[in-house]
């Protein structure tokens, strides 16, 4: 089976210093991989590299074009638009499916006409995650996706991931929450921690890693 994502001997940097190095893994359809490790080890940086937002220092990241949908700490919402309008915008941007399933899956139907600026933190997070469902992308890359979610919303999100995997998608995520996904494997980045005293060769000059 062809991998949706192949990472080979990857080294990533934060603040001009290598964070982790020598990381290799593959993700196939119907698989999930959860990154673990202490705060600051480089989980977010690695995810940003996979999403194409930051170049790696070394190694390869192989994925077909238009494969990845990325959900970071920021929810990526337009506050003046309603919940439904935000989802329609993203569906149009990605040429994805309609929004009805996303509204239902993340329990947003009753909020469809509410401006995003008036949502609670948890509601905004649910809307941010609902964006994944309208992209049509098979590979979800998720950075602490359950932040601000209550237990019921975490369960909704976990079920959405299960359905995505069941439809042949894959998910790469950093989370400390047990989502109850039997399909998920764990990759602890601790053994791949780089020497923090060694300056990074090959990092882009002046690269802004404020979000790494």
């Amino acid at each position: 089976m062809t991998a949706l994502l192949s990472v080979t001997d990857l080294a990533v940097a934060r603040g001009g210093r290598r964070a982790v190095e020598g990381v290799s893994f593959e993700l196939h359809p119907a698989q999930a991989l959860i990154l673990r490790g202490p705060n600051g080890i480089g989980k977010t940086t690695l995810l940003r590299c996979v999403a194409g937002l930051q170049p790696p220092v070394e190694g390869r990241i192989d994925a077909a074009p238009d494969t990845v949908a990325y959900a970071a700490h920021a929810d990526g919402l337009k506050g003046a638009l309603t919940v439904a309008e935000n989802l329609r915008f993203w569906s149009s941007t990605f040429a994805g499916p309609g929004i009805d399933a996303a509204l239902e899956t993340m329990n947003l139907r009753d909020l469809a006409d509410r401006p995003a600026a008036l949502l609670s933190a948890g509601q905004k997070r649910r809307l941010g995650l609902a964006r994944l469902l309208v992209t049509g992308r098979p590979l979800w890359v998720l950075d602490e996706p359950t932040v601000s979610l209550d237990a019921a919303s975490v369960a909704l999100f976990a079920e959405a991931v299960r359905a995505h995997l069941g439809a042949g998608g894959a998910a790469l995520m950093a989370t400390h929450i047990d989502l109850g996904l039997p399909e998920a494997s764990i990759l602890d980045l601790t053994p791949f921690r780089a020497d923090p005293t060694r300056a990074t060769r090959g990092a882009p000059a002046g690269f802004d890693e404020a979000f790494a």
Side-chain angles (χ1 to χ4, degrees), residues 78-81 86 114-120 124:
K78 294 181 178 293
L81 299 183
N86 268 280
R114 183 174 300 182
L118 301 182
L119 299 176
S120 70
K124 288 178 180 177

Side-chain angles (χ1 to χ4, degrees), residues 20 23 35-38 41-43 46 187-193:
V20 292
V23 179
L35 302 180
R36 293 278 169 81
I41 196 170
K43 299 185 294 293
L46 189 152
L187 176 61
D188 187 350
L189 294 181
T190 304
F192 303 98
R193 190 196 300 268

Side-chain angles (χ1 to χ4, degrees), residues 2-198:
T2 302
L4 287 174
L5 172 68
S6 179
V7 171
T8 307
D9 202 22
L10 190 68
V12 303
R14 181 181 60 250
R17 302 282 178 177
R18 291 190 182 214
V20 292
E21 57 190 359
V23 179
S24 297
F25 61 85
E26 286 189 343
L27 260 182
H28 294 265
Q31 289 185 336
L33 180 64
I34 297 175
L35 302 180
R36 293 278 169 81
N39 291 339
I41 196 170
K43 299 185 294 293
T44 293
T45 307
L46 189 152
L47 293 175
R48 283 173 55 81
C49 286
V50 170
L53 300 177
Q54 176 176 333
V57 177
E58 290 178 355
R60 290 178 55 88
I61 300 172
D62 294 303
D66 300 327
T67 297
V68 176
Y70 179 56
H73 294 160
D75 294 314
L77 307 178
K78 294 181 178 293
L81 299 183
T82 66
V83 167
E85 288 169 341
N86 268 280
L87 289 177
R88 289 192 191 102
F89 170 80
W90 285 106
S91 177
S92 174
T93 298
F94 286 92
I99 70 171
D100 286 346
L103 289 171
E104 191 69 32
T105 298
M106 296 310 296
N107 193 24
L108 293 166
R109 191 169 295 282
D110 291 343
L111 301 171
D113 296 325
R114 183 174 300 182
L118 301 182
L119 299 176
S120 70
Q123 291 166 343
K124 288 178 180 177
R125 193 60 171 168
R126 292 199 335 253
L127 177 54
L129 294 172
R131 290 186 301 121
L132 298 166
L133 299 168
V134 301
T135 64
R137 298 287 176 88
L139 176 58
W140 291 358
V141 177
L142 311 168
D143 194 2
E144 297 294 348
T146 60
V147 170
S148 300
L149 295 184
D150 58 22
S153 297
V154 170
L156 286 175
F157 170 69
E159 184 56 38
V161 175
R162 285 190 205 95
H164 180 64
L165 300 179
L172 173 66
M173 69 184 83
T175 179
H176 295 284
I177 301 296
D178 183 4
L179 296 174
L181 300 173
E183 308 90 339
S185 300
I186 305 294
L187 176 61
D188 187 350
L189 294 181
T190 304
F192 303 98
R193 190 196 300 268
D195 180 353
T197 66
R198 183 156 57 97

